[in-house]
Amino acid sequence: MAVEVKVEETQGAEVSVPQEEPKKVVAQENRKVDHCEAKTVDDSKPNKVEKSSSYREESNFLSDLKEFEKKALCELKSKLEAAILGNCLLKKEDPEKNEKPSDGNEEKEKAVADEKEEKAKGEQGERPVAEEESKTEGGEEKTSQECDEKKSDEIGIEINKDISLWEVPLLPSKGGEATDVVLLKFLRAREFKVNDAFQMLKNTLQWRKDGKIDSILNEEFGADLGSAAYMNGIDKEGHPVCYNIYGVFDDEKLYKKTFGTEEKRGQFLRWRFQLMEKGIQKLDLRPGGVTSLLQINDLKNSPGPSRKELRIAMKHAVGALQDNYPEFVARNIFINVPFWYYALNALLSPFLTQRSKSKFVVARPAKVTETLLKYIPAEEVPVQYGGFKMENDFEFYAQDASVSEIIVKAGSTVTIEIHADEVGTTSIWELIVLSWEVNYKAEFVPSDEGSYTIIVQKSKKIGSQSQEGPIRNTFRNNEPGKLVLTIENNSSKKKRLLYRYKTKKSSSF
C-alpha cells in the first residue's frame, strides 16, 4: 500500500522535512603511512556535516592539518617512539622494595620525593626523558638509540613495545591508523605545544597505571548511581550522548551515600571514570570516525554550590576528566540552568581551558527542547526533554522512527493527510508542538462520499510536551479513506510542529 503525507494550509505555512540522519562516519583510508611523512597520506576525507554552533570539530586526516600541526605531530611521535624504545615512558617500580623489610615509611618518603621531583621538573619546563639534557661533545642531543642502549644495560628490565591507550597502540612505528588520532587529542588539548602534550600523555598513562583504570570496566558500583548519569542515543553527527542528571542528588540519603566521606567521593569519581570509559568504547578512534561524546548536564533540582561535598567532588571530577580524557567531549550542554549555575561556573572556570569553555552551551528551562533539537534528532531526544524517545517502546524504530517538521505560521492552519486505502489498516501517529499553544484535531474521512466522517480526536489545545511526551493516537479503518490531522495556530508567533506516523495491516500484530 502506497503511503503519502500531504500538507495543506490556509495561509501558506512553511513545510520543512529534516534531512536523513547522518550515519556514523567510518574511516576511509586503510594504508599505513610512515609516522613522519604526512605528505604521503591519502587525500580522502570524511563526509562534511553542518554544525549547529560556532565551535568546529577539527578533522583528524593528516591532509587536513596545517603545516605547524603536522610538524608538531611528527615531533611528538618521535619523542614517544624514543621513550617507548628507551623504556622511559613510565616510572619504574623499585625491584628491591619487596625484598627489604619495610618500616612503613618508605612509601611515604618515595611519594614525597616523587612530588618534589615532578615539581622541580615542572618549574624547569620538563623535557621528556627521551630528550636528555646532557649532550655529546659535538653539542648534539642524545638520540633515541643512545637512550635505548642506556636502558638496555639495566638488567632484568624488559622493553614493553605494546603500550596502548584505549586499545590504541602508542608505538608510532607500528603504524596504527588510530595512533595519530589519539596523539592529536593531546596536542590540541595543549595547543600543539609538543613538550606539554608529551608530558600530558605521560601523566595520563601514569595516572591510569596508578589508578588501575584499565580494569575499571570490571568494577561494580551498585545501581544507586545508574540514574545519575547514563549513555542514551546519538546526536546528529553520530556522537554518543551522555546525560548527567544532578537532580538525583537532591535526595539527602543518596547525597550522603555518595559524597558523605572522602572514601565515598573517591568511589563516585571511579564510577564517573568508568562511565567515560564505556562512552569511549562506543567511539571509532580512526581518521574520519566519530571520536568524541556529547555531554548533557541537567541541573534541574540539583543541590546548589553551597553543598561543600558536591563542590569538592565536582572540582576533582572536572580536573581529572580534563587532564586525562583530552578532546573526548565535542560539546557540553547545560540545561535547566538555575540562577546559582553562574556562581558554580565561576568556581570551576579556573580549572577549564578556553578550548573547553568554547564548547559550552547553556539553556534555561524554557529553552531546553529547542536547544537539544539543534544538536540531537527529535527521535533520539528523551520524552522528558520534549522528544520522541521512550524507554521500552518499540512501536517506532529504524525508518519508522524518523520525524518530520512543519513550521506553522502565525494565524495559519495546516492539515496532514495519512492515506489508508486498504480496509483493516491501523495508523499510528505522534505529534509534538514546541511552545504554547495550538489547536489540534484528527478525523477519518472515508473515500465513499456517502459515508460519515469519523472524529478520532476532538479539537483540543496542545503545547510543549516536555513533561508528558508526544501525543499519540491510533485508528483502525473499516473502509478506505484518509486520516486528516488539523493543526491551527491562532497565536501571533510561528510554531514548530514535529510529527511521525506509520501504518500497518492488522494481520501484522
Side-chain angles (χ1 to χ4, degrees):
M1 180 186 72
V3 181
E4 178 185 359
V5 175
K6 182 179 180 182
V7 182
E8 299 178 352
E9 60 176 331
T10 57
Q11 296 186 17
E14 300 175 357
V15 180
S16 64
V17 179
Q19 298 180 353
E20 182 182 353
E21 179 185 337
K23 298 180 180 179
K24 184 175 181 180
V25 184
V26 297
Q28 300 181 19
E29 75 174 273
N30 294 317
R31 79 187 164 101
K32 296 181 179 180
V33 182
D34 182 82
H35 66 277
C36 282
E37 294 183 4
K39 293 183 180 179
T40 63
V41 176
D42 193 332
D43 288 334
S44 60
K45 301 179 182 180
N47 295 328
K48 292 184 178 179
V49 183
E50 291 256 339
K51 301 287 180 178
S52 302
S53 170
S54 58
Y55 172 77
R56 187 175 68 85
E57 199 170 2
E58 297 92 342
S59 168
N60 286 314
F61 283 93
L62 291 179
S63 56
D64 290 336
L65 299 181
K66 297 176 182 178
E67 286 305 316
F68 81 90
E69 294 173 338
K70 294 179 183 178
K71 181 180 178 182
L73 178 59
C74 181
E75 290 179 7
L76 178 58
K77 291 167 78 170
S78 296
K79 288 178 178 291
L80 184 57
E81 183 92 10
I84 293 177
L85 296 180
N87 207 25
C88 0
L89 193 60
L90 296 171
K91 294 178 182 177
K92 306 299 184 301
E93 294 183 1
D94 185 358
E96 298 182 358
K97 70 178 182 180
N98 294 324
E99 298 176 7
K100 296 180 180 180
S102 172
D103 59 3
N105 294 321
E106 287 88 345
E107 249 183 62
K108 293 182 180 179
E109 292 174 359
K110 184 177 184 301
V112 173
D114 287 344
E115 186 177 346
K116 289 181 179 179
E117 181 183 353
E118 290 297 322
K119 185 177 180 181
K121 289 180 179 178
E123 292 173 353
Q124 297 172 9
E126 180 188 1
R127 285 178 288 178
V129 179
E131 189 179 358
E132 296 285 346
E133 289 188 9
S134 57
K135 298 186 178 182
T136 63
E137 293 181 1
E140 297 178 355
E141 295 184 355
K142 291 186 177 181
T143 64
S144 60
Q145 289 84 356
E146 290 174 312
C147 179
D148 192 11
E149 289 172 5
K150 177 182 177 182
K151 291 299 177 181
S152 66
D153 291 336
E154 298 180 15
I155 300 174
I157 296 180
E158 184 177 344
I159 295 176
N160 180 12
K161 296 182 180 181
D162 298 322
I163 295 177
S164 63
L165 187 55
W166 303 298
E167 299 182 356
V168 174
L170 290 182
L171 186 64
S173 57
K174 282 192 173 183
E177 61 181 345
T179 304
D180 285 357
V181 174
V182 170
L183 296 184
L184 281 170
K185 287 182 176 294
F186 285 89
L187 283 168
R188 285 173 174 141
R190 291 297 180 262
E191 299 178 342
F192 284 89
K193 296 177 181 177
V194 178
N195 287 342
D196 291 348
F198 183 65
Q199 187 60 51
M200 184 184 190
L201 175 59
K202 287 178 62 179
N203 291 343
T204 294
L205 291 170
Q206 193 66 50
W207 174 78
R208 295 179 68 86
K209 179 182 177 182
D210 294 342
K212 297 180 174 58
I213 302 299
D214 286 338
S215 61
I216 203 170
L217 288 172
N218 301 322
E219 296 182 21
E220 294 290 339
F221 296 98
D224 292 332
L225 292 172
S227 59
Y230 50 85
M231 307 296 301
N232 188 355
I234 59 174
D235 71 3
K236 293 180 179 179
E237 297 167 2
H239 300 115
V241 182
C242 179
Y243 290 85
N244 300 283
I245 316 300
Y246 293 96
V248 300
F249 297 120
D250 193 42
D251 180 274
E252 190 66 22
K253 183 178 179 181
L254 180 60
Y255 182 88
K256 289 182 177 179
K257 187 175 181 180
T258 307
F259 305 111
T261 65
E262 185 176 350
E263 181 181 356
K264 291 177 180 178
R265 291 194 292 271
Q267 284 296 99
F268 167 78
L269 290 177
R270 290 193 67 79
W271 165 79
R272 190 60 187 82
F273 300 149
Q274 184 191 70
L275 183 64
M276 193 67 177
E277 294 289 325
K278 289 180 179 179
I280 292 175
Q281 285 192 320
K282 297 177 179 292
L283 302 179
D284 179 10
L285 298 177
R286 294 179 294 174
V290 175
T291 64
S292 56
L293 310 170
L294 178 71
Q295 293 272 6
I296 306 296
N297 305 282
D298 187 355
L299 301 183
K300 184 177 181 180
N301 297 327
S302 172
S306 59
R307 301 302 295 266
K308 178 182 176 182
E309 298 83 3
L310 175 61
R311 194 169 68 245
I312 292 173
M314 291 312 301
K315 176 182 173 182
H316 288 167
V318 168
L321 290 171
Q322 183 169 254
D323 290 343
N324 300 290
Y325 297 93
E327 299 301 306
F328 273 106
V329 176
R331 191 168 282 105
N332 244 318
I333 302 177
F334 293 82
I335 60 175
N336 291 314
V337 173
F339 70 92
W340 54 257
Y341 162 80
Y342 301 98
L344 179 63
N345 184 53
L347 177 71
L348 298 177
S349 186
F351 302 96
L352 299 172
T353 64
Q354 189 58 44
R355 184 178 176 84
S356 295
K357 295 176 187 177
S358 70
K359 301 177 184 180
F360 282 17
V361 176
V362 178
R364 300 285 289 178
K367 296 290 185 180
V368 169
T369 303
E370 181 181 341
T371 299
L372 293 183
L373 288 175
K374 289 181 181 179
Y375 307 99
I376 307 174
E379 58 269 26
E380 290 287 348
V381 175
V383 291
Q384 62 267 34
Y385 297 124
F388 287 85
K389 192 167 188 177
M390 291 184 279
E391 290 186 21
N392 302 318
D393 177 27
F394 305 103
E395 193 65 70
F396 289 92
Y397 59 92
Q399 293 183 348
D400 293 333
S402 298
V403 174
S404 298
E405 176 178 341
I406 299 175
I407 302 298
V408 188
K409 290 183 177 179
S412 68
T413 298
V414 172
T415 59
I416 302 172
E417 296 184 358
I418 304 176
H419 289 267
D421 299 324
E422 297 184 28
V423 176
T425 297
T426 298
S427 301
I428 306 170
W429 63 96
E430 292 183 332
L431 297 170
I432 286 178
V433 62
L434 303 187
S435 73
W436 299 86
E437 66 193 347
V438 298
N439 293 320
Y440 155 71
K441 66 178 181 179
E443 300 172 316
F444 178 76
V445 181
S447 299
D448 185 352
E449 295 182 357
S451 297
Y452 292 101
T453 296
I454 300 174
I455 298 176
V456 179
Q457 172 63 61
K458 293 181 179 180
S459 181
K460 62 180 289 189
K461 290 184 178 181
I462 62 173
S464 175
Q465 301 298 308
S466 59
Q467 300 301 322
E468 302 173 4
I471 290 176
R472 177 181 289 186
N473 288 137
T474 302
F475 181 77
R476 182 181 181 277
N477 63 307
N478 294 318
E479 58 181 315
K482 62 182 178 181
L483 284 152
V484 180
L485 316 180
T486 304
I487 298 91
E488 183 182 15
N489 179 16
N490 294 321
S491 72
S492 59
K493 295 182 179 180
K494 67 180 181 180
K495 306 292 182 181
R496 290 178 64 190
L497 178 73
L498 307 176
Y499 72 95
R500 64 182 178 184
Y501 74 95
K502 65 181 293 187
T503 59
K504 58 184 181 181
K505 295 182 180 179
S506 297
S507 58
S508 65
F509 282 105

